[in-house]
Amino acid sequence: MKLALSLLLVTLALCCSDANAKVCPALGKEVISFLLDSKAGFNNTIQQFDAPEAAKQAKLEVKECVDNLSMKDRLAVAHFVAIVNFECNKQLS
């Protein structure tokens, strides 16, 4: 669960900083895919980004750890991420 907490803190910091605009929809999709999709599905999601292949492979390795969490825990984290996304975007309106 430590990994999920780290992901939440990073998401919160990126989304709710006063200096940031609306949360990028591609980032939101990528985070939810990271939590809920299969490794193959997540790999398809991250291929759209122009990131170094080593970075993509590293993220896929971390994805294997996330996949060890129960689906209940991953859904809880995804729900929290969705709430943070909504609240951050609401503050900008």
Side-chain angles (χ1 to χ4, degrees), residues 53-66:
E53 196 58 36
K56 292 177 185 176
Q57 289 304 315
K59 194 132 188 185
L60 288 170
E61 287 181 31
V62 175
K63 169 76 172 129
E64 290 177 12
C65 294
V66 170

Side-chain angles (χ1 to χ4, degrees), residues 32 35 74-84:
I32 296 300
L35 292 167
R74 290 189 282 159
L75 285 169
V77 172
H79 179 73
F80 182 78
V81 168
I83 291 170
V84 169

Side-chain angles (χ1 to χ4, degrees), residues 2 9 24 27 31 41 50 55 57 63 67 69:
K2 291 179 184 178
L9 291 174
C24 174
L27 173 63
V31 170
D50 188 27
Q57 289 304 315
K63 169 76 172 129
D67 287 347
L69 295 171

Side-chain angles (χ1 to χ4, degrees), residues 14-24 88-89 92:
L14 291 174
C15 293
C16 293
S17 168
D18 289 338
N20 286 319
K22 275 188 140 179
V23 176
C24 174
C88 290
N89 288 338
L92 295 170

Side-chain angles (χ1 to χ4, degrees), residues 7 11 15 23-38 40-49 59 63 78 81-82 85 89:
L7 177 64
T11 302
C15 293
V23 176
C24 174
L27 173 63
K29 180 181 175 187
E30 189 263 343
V31 170
I32 296 300
S33 177
F34 180 74
L35 292 167
L36 301 179
D37 283 351
S38 66
F42 178 66
N43 187 37
N44 289 338
T45 300
I46 62 174
Q47 291 307 318
Q48 68 182 338
F49 300 109
K59 194 132 188 185
K63 169 76 172 129
V81 168
N85 185 13
N89 288 338

